[in-house]
Amino acid sequence: MAEPLPPTRPRIPGSGLAKGLAVTLRTMTKKTVTAQYPDAQPELPPRSRGVIGLFEENCTVCMLCARECPDWCIYIDSHKETVPSAAPGGRERSRNVLDRFAIDFSLCMYCGICIEVCPFDALFWSPEFEYAETDIHELTHERDKLREWMWTVPAPPALDPGAEEPKELAAARKTADKLAAEAATAATAAEAAGLAAQTADQAVQPEPPARDTPTTTGTTTGTTTGTTTDPTTGTPEPSKPSDPQDGAS
């Protein structure tokens, strides 16, 4: 046997209108959060999918992005050029040169497959979104415009502190440390060679000979006084005055 339903309260006429007016009154007393665009630009998250930027220096015209695009909105044209060999007698090589890279954003569904499959990091997401046009045909942007959007791409987020260092960065740091060590060794060797050469010059240079400058002073009485130099030590010594009687004898 089914249980009886609980008795319902009688509805007061106009209660729904009163609840709606209460919500309106609470909202009117709060501060507005409307952003005055375009005077105030919105703060977009770092991974916003606004538009696709092209770094054409990395593009090798592999056509992988155009083949994987589900909307077929990427148009690429290129030609081949012959590059002469760097060494004499070498073989000439050919390379692809990019002539056109365009994206039709009226067809693009912003899936990001082209950016993920690019093996040379030539495509990036940019948060730029102000590229609306009045004509749908003007939404096909060429590589010049895509390159301008490339400079609005934000910097990549910082790596995890516990992540392993990239191999390219480790190799570059190892090479820099090796070059710095070689430069320091060369500077030390040059300094040691300079000191050795200076020491050798000082050892070869002869010493100046000692000068003997005896001086003699006399008087009217016949006595003479002077200084003589000791030949063993080279120091001057006073001479004994001569006796006038020795000369008379």
Side-chain angles (χ1 to χ4, degrees):
M1 184 175 180
E3 296 181 359
L5 296 175
T8 58
R9 295 180 180 179
R11 298 187 60 181
I12 302 175
S15 60
L17 179 59
K19 291 181 179 179
L21 291 175
V23 173
T24 303
L25 292 174
R26 285 198 305 268
T27 306
M28 290 175 61
T29 56
K30 292 183 180 179
K31 185 179 179 180
T32 179
V33 294
T34 303
Q36 300 299 327
Y37 178 84
D39 297 333
Q41 293 291 331
E43 295 182 2
L44 302 176
R47 298 182 64 183
S48 298
R49 297 188 176 188
V51 76
I52 298 174
L54 171 66
F55 191 59
E56 59 181 280
E57 283 79 2
N58 289 354
C59 182
T60 60
V61 200
C62 64
M63 306 293 292
L64 191 59
C65 56
R67 289 197 299 266
E68 296 296 332
C69 179
D71 294 332
W72 292 84
C73 63
I74 301 177
Y75 310 107
I76 300 176
D77 293 334
S78 64
H79 69 278
K80 290 185 177 294
E81 285 186 357
T82 302
V83 180
S85 61
R91 186 181 61 180
E92 296 182 348
R93 299 182 180 274
S94 62
R95 66 174 182 179
N96 294 324
V97 179
L98 183 65
D99 293 331
R100 185 194 182 198
F101 194 106
I103 300 178
D104 187 358
F105 286 98
S106 64
L107 298 177
C108 179
M109 64 179 184
Y110 302 89
C111 63
I113 294 178
C114 57
I115 297 176
E116 295 178 2
V117 300
C118 181
F120 301 104
D121 292 336
L123 298 175
F124 297 88
W125 277 119
S126 167
E128 185 69 28
F129 62 92
E130 297 177 323
Y131 55 94
E133 301 290 346
T134 57
D135 189 357
I136 193 174
H137 297 90
E138 296 180 0
L139 285 175
T140 301
H141 295 287
E142 301 292 335
R143 64 174 183 174
D144 296 336
K145 189 65 176 178
L146 300 180
R147 184 178 179 83
E148 291 180 6
W149 283 328
M150 179 62 204
W151 311 126
T152 62
V153 175
L159 297 177
D160 187 358
E164 184 180 358
E165 186 180 30
K167 296 181 180 179
E168 296 82 1
L169 186 60
R173 182 177 290 106
K174 183 178 180 181
T175 304
D177 294 342
K178 183 178 179 181
L179 293 176
E182 292 178 355
T185 304
T188 305
E191 185 178 357
L195 292 176
Q198 186 178 1
T199 305
D201 293 341
Q202 293 178 356
V204 172
Q205 185 177 2
E207 296 182 358
R211 296 182 179 181
D212 297 337
T213 56
T215 58
T216 305
T217 59
T219 62
T220 56
T221 59
T223 61
T224 59
T225 60
T227 58
T228 60
T229 304
D230 190 357
T232 58
T233 62
T235 58
E237 294 180 355
S239 61
K240 296 180 181 181
S242 58
D243 193 353
Q245 295 180 358
D246 295 338
S249 62

